[in-house]
Amino acid sequence: MQERPLILVTNDDGITAPGIRMLVEVMKELGDVAVVAPNSPQSGMGHAITIGKPLRLVDSDIFDDVTAFECSGTPADCVKLAKHYALKDRQPDLVVSGINHGSNSSISVLYSGTMSAAIEAAIENIPAIGFSLCDYSHNADFSHIREYVKSIASKVLDEGLPKFLTLNVNFPKKQEEEIKGVRICRQARAKWEEEFEQRFDPMGQPYYWMAGNFVNFDKGEDNDEWAIANNYVSVVPIQFDLTAHHAMSVLGEWEF
Amino acid sequence: MQERPLILVTNDDGITAPGIRMLVEVMKELGDVAVVAPNSPQSGMGHAITIGKPLRLVDSDIFDDVTAFECSGTPADCVKLAKHYALKDRQPDLVVSGINHGSNSSISVLYSGTMSAAIEAAIENIPAIGFSLCDYSHNADFSHIREYVKSIASKVLDEGLPKFLTLNVNFPKKQEEEIKGVRICRQARAKWEEEFEQRFDPMGQPYYWMAGNFVNFDKGEDNDEWAIANNYVSVVPIQFDLTAHHAMSVLGEWEF
């Protein structure tokens, strides 16, 4: 009998979030599961890593029959600690991150702790997937996406991924209509338009709350925002080479 | 007389770092300068933003004749606060970040707070440059790069940048030989290979120090690592569309 694959599960909402619990349950059907996840919410941490202070890593028994650790660091730290310490003797065959409570589509991929864990795995050339549900509530309904999570992870286990790539998978919020299917997409051109609200603390000192409105500039139908808005699962292949190769020839003409 | 451009200066080493002081001095020769920078070191913060807690923004008089604020948030927060709050009445024509004490070449662009500020500006379609010196010491010698910083910023002010792009500029550490010139490069294929050292606190509980070794897999001569190692300034055009467009057709054949 072939050995079952080892699947590392992490997230950015923290080890107690319902989304990671669902992901662990589904991954147990596909392989041996290990969890290294943050001990506190890490939303918006982008690709932060912990420099200049040490990390804590503590055994956790919150998942049945699963080796799990909670970590004081960021999602990217979790993957580094898993690969180079906790799972040093048996490397993961797949890294899955999520299921995030909220969208990580379009520009949010940059701010996303969920996706930074998946990208960190891609840097290590381990196939990886970040899963996000476009529903920010703690008690979000994940039932309609369970089979999709399983089939996408299963496909990546069977086929692998192109070298150094990871997948950014976003699911529409549960609706009456069933999800229409899966679309391979590009990242939509959009941004968060921030507003800052000034308030004053009891000592009379100002502080500022950041509140963002998502603004989608993209009129195409081949991007992740369109897919999600039309009740499809969006799958965007993500790379960590940020070079704008097309701009090199333009800049090459400059004299300094 | 034409109005002088407004240049926003930020960094990730914090508002008191020598690198930002040098950058402010050089930018004052090119335009009006405003500073919004972190009140504490933010190295390795990647593209983190502050979610779920408020930000502080306090006037600072540490630079002569320059409007400056120190911010409790990340470099990306600083750019957001500058654009949407502190500089709301006059938008910057250029955003410069740095000069970082240490390299942000190759894969380090992902972990870099310096570059996240520049990328945040690019998202807002403001021309932006991240400057880093490949010398981690607090008392690094910046004298050999002063003219390059000025000429690169001046060039970007004159020519602009291709839409939604920013520049990742890394300078070699000061050597006896003068810098040979500027090279337009791609991001080298490399990674940080982590090691974790376990120690025990006075209560007997374990903690872990992360220590990374930079491993360069790239044999090319058109990448930033090669340029820096050969005493050139590396300039990499950086984009925030992470879509691996070349992989979309491969994934398009998959059935879920």
Side-chain angles (χ1 to χ4, degrees):
Chain A
M1 202 182 95
Q2 220 193 335
E3 203 187 359
R4 283 159 62 87
L6 179 60
I7 304 173
L8 170 65
V9 181
T10 189
N11 76 343
D12 79 351
D13 291 316
I15 198 165
T16 60
I20 195 171
R21 203 178 314 145
M22 158 71 98
L23 194 52
V24 166
E25 287 311 313
V26 176
M27 291 305 116
K28 281 164 80 173
E29 297 170 13
L30 298 175
D32 297 337
V33 174
V35 175
V36 180
N39 63 11
S40 65
Q42 298 282 321
S43 292
M45 283 306 278
H47 212 105
I49 52 173
T50 299
I51 291 177
K53 59 182 183 182
L55 293 164
R56 298 283 185 170
L57 186 73
V58 177
D59 287 2
S60 169
D61 60 1
I62 68 167
F63 303 108
D64 292 335
D65 307 320
V66 167
T67 306
F69 301 90
E70 51 179 84
C71 169
S72 61
T74 65
D77 288 333
C78 288
V79 173
K80 286 180 183 289
L81 257 168
K83 175 167 168 67
H84 297 291
Y85 188 82
L87 306 183
K88 206 167 181 177
D89 298 331
R90 186 184 168 196
Q91 291 289 304
D93 301 290
L94 173 69
V95 174
V96 290
S97 180
I99 301 169
N100 193 60
H101 293 241
S103 167
N104 280 316
S105 58
S106 179
I107 196 69
S108 300
V109 68
L110 291 186
Y111 306 107
S112 164
T114 304
M115 282 309 299
S116 78
I119 291 170
E120 189 62 37
I123 294 171
E124 298 286 0
N125 202 23
I126 304 170
I129 314 165
F131 292 110
S132 303
L133 175 66
C134 296
D135 184 339
Y136 289 88
S137 68
H138 183 76
N139 298 313
D141 188 340
F142 290 89
S143 62
H144 62 304
I145 68 172
R146 185 186 174 107
E147 285 310 309
Y148 281 104
V149 170
K150 186 172 174 182
S151 74
I152 293 169
S154 179
K155 194 79 187 169
V156 170
L157 277 170
D158 289 349
E159 306 270 347
L161 280 177
K163 225 174 172 187
F164 305 129
L165 298 191
T166 177
L167 300 183
N168 184 15
V169 179
N170 282 265
F171 298 100
K173 189 173 170 168
K174 174 133 180 162
Q175 295 164 38
E176 272 191 38
E177 177 199 50
E178 274 191 24
I179 287 175
K180 286 185 192 145
V182 175
R183 288 228 168 190
I184 308 300
C185 302
R186 61 176 175 79
Q187 174 184 323
R189 165 74 199 127
K191 70 167 183 173
W192 288 90
E193 185 83 39
E194 261 74 5
E195 284 173 25
F196 288 91
E197 185 184 327
Q198 188 184 50
R199 295 189 182 181
F200 291 87
D201 68 21
M203 282 69 71
Q205 300 303 313
Y207 62 95
Y208 303 86
W209 282 105
M210 179 162 72
N213 296 309
F214 186 75
V215 188
N216 185 5
F217 302 105
D218 206 316
K219 304 251 190 294
E221 299 195 350
D222 57 347
N223 66 69
D224 50 3
E225 289 303 320
W226 186 93
I228 297 159
N230 287 274
N231 208 19
Y232 287 95
V233 180
S234 71
V235 175
V236 180
I238 295 289
Q239 63 186 10
F240 55 81
D241 176 6
L242 306 192
T243 312
H245 292 275
H246 62 282
M248 289 178 68
S249 56
V250 179
L251 296 177
E253 293 169 9
W254 286 14
E255 301 209 354
F256 295 99
Chain B
M1 203 182 95
Q2 220 193 337
E3 202 186 3
R4 282 159 62 85
L6 178 61
I7 304 172
L8 170 66
V9 181
T10 189
N11 77 343
D12 79 350
D13 291 318
I15 197 165
T16 60
I20 195 171
R21 203 177 315 145
M22 158 70 97
L23 194 52
V24 166
E25 286 311 311
V26 176
M27 291 306 116
K28 279 164 78 172
E29 297 170 14
L30 298 176
D32 298 337
V33 174
V35 175
V36 180
N39 64 11
S40 65
Q42 298 282 323
S43 293
M45 282 306 277
H47 211 104
I49 52 172
T50 300
I51 292 178
K53 59 181 184 183
L55 292 164
R56 298 283 186 171
L57 186 73
V58 177
D59 287 4
S60 169
D61 60 1
I62 68 169
F63 304 108
D64 293 335
D65 308 319
V66 168
T67 306
F69 301 90
E70 50 180 83
C71 169
S72 60
T74 65
D77 288 333
C78 289
V79 174
K80 287 179 183 289
L81 256 168
K83 176 170 167 63
H84 297 291
Y85 188 83
L87 306 182
K88 207 168 181 177
D89 298 331
R90 186 181 168 198
Q91 291 289 303
D93 301 289
L94 174 68
V95 174
V96 291
S97 179
I99 303 169
N100 194 60
H101 294 242
S103 167
N104 280 317
S105 58
S106 180
I107 195 71
S108 300
V109 67
L110 292 186
Y111 306 107
S112 164
T114 304
M115 283 308 300
S116 78
I119 291 170
E120 189 61 38
I123 294 171
E124 298 286 0
N125 202 22
I126 305 170
I129 315 166
F131 292 109
S132 303
L133 176 65
C134 296
D135 185 339
Y136 290 88
S137 68
H138 184 76
N139 298 313
D141 188 340
F142 290 90
S143 62
H144 62 305
I145 68 171
R146 186 186 173 106
E147 284 311 308
Y148 282 103
V149 170
K150 187 173 173 182
S151 73
I152 293 169
S154 178
K155 194 79 187 170
V156 170
L157 277 170
D158 290 347
E159 306 270 346
L161 280 177
K163 223 174 172 185
F164 305 129
L165 297 191
T166 177
L167 301 183
N168 184 16
V169 178
N170 282 265
F171 298 101
K173 190 174 170 166
K174 173 132 181 164
Q175 294 164 39
E176 274 192 36
E177 177 199 50
E178 275 191 25
I179 287 175
K180 285 184 193 147
V182 175
R183 287 227 169 192
I184 309 300
C185 302
R186 61 175 175 78
Q187 174 184 324
R189 164 75 199 126
K191 70 167 182 173
W192 288 90
E193 185 83 39
E194 258 69 56
E195 284 172 26
F196 289 91
E197 187 184 325
Q198 188 185 51
R199 296 189 183 180
F200 291 87
D201 69 21
M203 282 70 71
Q205 300 301 315
Y207 63 95
Y208 302 87
W209 282 106
M210 180 162 72
N213 296 308
F214 186 76
V215 188
N216 184 5
F217 302 106
D218 206 317
K219 303 252 190 292
E221 300 195 349
D222 56 349
N223 66 69
D224 50 4
E225 289 304 319
W226 186 93
I228 298 160
N230 287 276
N231 208 19
Y232 288 95
V233 180
S234 71
V235 176
V236 181
I238 295 289
Q239 63 185 10
F240 55 81
D241 176 6
L242 306 191
T243 313
H245 291 274
H246 61 282
M248 289 178 68
S249 56
V250 178
L251 296 178
E253 293 169 9
W254 286 14
E255 301 210 353
F256 295 99

